[in-house]
């Protein structure tokens, strides 16, 4: 396949003509700004997903310490709420259990798609959900501080975090929505329950389902989009996962 002389990415347009990198980045950021995610389908063998993600920002290590993680069924994890099995996941934002900022972007790259039904990554816009709320509810989600916790699977693996954050946080580079249906610690007589339920219902109605083929890559704005997964049966499903920190631009 011809390669553009200035290209590190080796991507082509709909006619198979080589694309300059600046054109790719302009399209990528334009789509990200508009939709909150970009899905790159069946990219060529020469495309390097790790090099692409490095252009977006510094990598945030996975819980295990590696920079590029594997998402696939792991032995002994079947009974946990955990990405490393074949069960569904509730909608959530990544890194709600981090002390500091959650990753700005999450990239999922398909090494081996699953056969059979399910196994989609589902995504929906949490800022759009927040816009549907009454102003008083949005203010409550901004002003109240909750305790969050890691999943039982992570505690089982020896990682037990309890950061404190609001659900909605204003940052100079955009609004951060943190969300977990099951790992935000709900207080007594707390009115958060119906709001978490409302976000989950919004997600069920509005989500887009991504079914992967080999060499597909999904990148989404994790400050804006919630993601989840539906169940699958093929234990051969294998994604790679990169968390990308927010890039400070000033
Ligand atoms: Fe996740």
């Amino acid at each position: 396949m011809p390669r553009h002389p200035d290209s590190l990415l080796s991507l082509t347009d709909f006619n198979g003509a080589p694309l300059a990198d600046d054109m790719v980045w302009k399209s990528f950021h334009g789509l990200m700004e508009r939709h909150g995610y970009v899905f790159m389908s069946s990219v060529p063998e020469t495309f390097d997903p790790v090099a692409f993600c490095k252009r977006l920002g510094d990598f945030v290590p996975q819980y295990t310490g590696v920079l590029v993680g594997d998402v696939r069924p792991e032995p002994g994890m079947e009974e946990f709420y955990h990405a490393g099995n074949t069960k569904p996941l509730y909608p959530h934002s990544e890194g709600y259990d981090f002390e500091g900022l959650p990753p700005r972007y999450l990239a999922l790259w398909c090494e081996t798609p699953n056969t059979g039904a399910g196994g989609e990554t589902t995504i929906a816009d949490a800022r759009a959900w927040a816009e549907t709320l009454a102003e008083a509810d949005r203010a409550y989600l901004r002003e109240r501080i909750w305790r969050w916790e890691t999943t039982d699977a992570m505690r089982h693996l020896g990682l037990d975090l309890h950061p404190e954050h609001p659900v909605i946080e204003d940052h100079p580079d955009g609004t951060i929505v943190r969300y977990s249906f099951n790992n935000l610690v709900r207080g007594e007589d707390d009115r958060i329950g119906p709001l978490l339920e409302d976000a989950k219902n919004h997600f069920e109605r509005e989500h887009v389902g991504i079914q992967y083929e080999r060499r597909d890559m999904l990148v989404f704005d994790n400050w804006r989009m919630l993601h989840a997964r539906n169940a699958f049966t093929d234990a051969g499903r294998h994604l790679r996962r990169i968390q990308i920190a927010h890039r400070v631009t000033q």
Side-chain angles (χ1 to χ4, degrees):
M1 187 174 294
R3 184 174 178 139
H4 191 280
D6 301 323
S7 176
L8 292 170
L9 299 171
S10 306
L11 295 176
T12 55
D13 70 8
F14 55 92
N15 274 329
L19 273 175
D21 284 3
D22 59 350
M23 196 64 195
V24 174
W25 286 109
K26 204 170 155 209
S27 302
F28 180 88
H29 287 292
L31 289 166
M32 187 64 77
E33 182 66 31
R34 185 163 175 195
H35 301 290
Y37 71 99
V38 178
F39 182 58
M40 304 165 76
S41 180
S42 302
V43 298
E45 294 286 341
T46 48
F47 177 82
D48 180 346
V50 176
F52 185 91
C53 289
K54 277 190 181 149
R55 292 278 299 264
L56 289 172
D58 294 335
F59 292 1
V60 178
Q62 314 280 316
Y63 293 117
T64 55
V66 298
L67 291 176
V68 182
D70 293 294
V71 183
R72 58 183 160 191
E74 298 161 18
M77 300 310 286
E78 295 83 1
E79 297 313 311
F80 289 102
Y81 176 78
H82 185 46
N85 59 36
T86 61
K87 292 182 174 174
L89 295 173
Y90 287 123
H92 60 283
S93 60
E94 204 67 24
Y96 55 77
D97 50 355
F98 291 7
E99 291 289 345
L101 292 177
R104 182 67 204 238
Y105 298 111
L106 197 70
L108 292 165
W109 163 260
C110 180
E111 289 284 349
T112 311
N114 59 296
T115 56
E120 294 172 316
T121 297
T122 49
I123 51 175
D125 190 336
R127 289 189 197 152
W129 163 68
E131 287 303 311
T132 68
L133 301 176
E135 185 52 48
D137 285 336
R138 272 200 302 278
Y140 171 69
L141 294 174
R142 275 194 169 87
E143 289 158 16
R144 170 79 192 260
I145 305 293
W146 285 273
R147 197 155 176 254
W148 306 69
E149 56 188 18
T150 35
T151 62
D152 55 353
M154 284 302 128
R155 280 197 295 281
H156 175 74
L157 296 171
L159 192 69
D160 195 8
L161 305 171
H162 300 279
E164 296 190 344
H165 298 292
V167 170
I168 300 178
E169 180 180 342
D170 293 313
H171 184 280
D173 294 315
T175 301
I176 301 168
V177 182
R178 288 183 180 84
Y179 178 83
S180 168
F181 184 72
N182 54 337
N183 288 314
L184 179 155
V185 181
R186 306 176 191 202
E188 303 222 345
D189 69 339
D190 190 338
R191 60 187 235 244
I192 189 67
L195 290 166
L196 295 175
E197 193 73 46
D198 189 67
K200 190 150 82 65
N201 292 339
H202 177 91
F203 188 93
E204 298 304 332
R205 282 195 309 273
E206 303 293 335
H207 73 262
V208 172
I210 305 290
Q211 184 74 68
Y212 301 98
E213 300 291 338
R214 184 172 172 270
R215 306 190 66 75
D216 285 349
M217 186 161 79
L218 172 67
V219 186
F220 59 86
D221 181 346
N222 181 57
W223 287 10
R224 169 177 169 184
M225 307 298 282
L226 303 183
H227 66 287
R229 175 183 76 197
N230 47 40
F232 56 99
T233 54
D234 179 0
R237 179 184 188 267
H238 180 200
L239 305 183
R240 304 212 80 195
R241 186 173 80 142
I242 297 175
Q243 305 180 124
I244 300 155
H246 181 62
R247 190 192 289 277
V248 179
T249 49
Q250 68 268 28

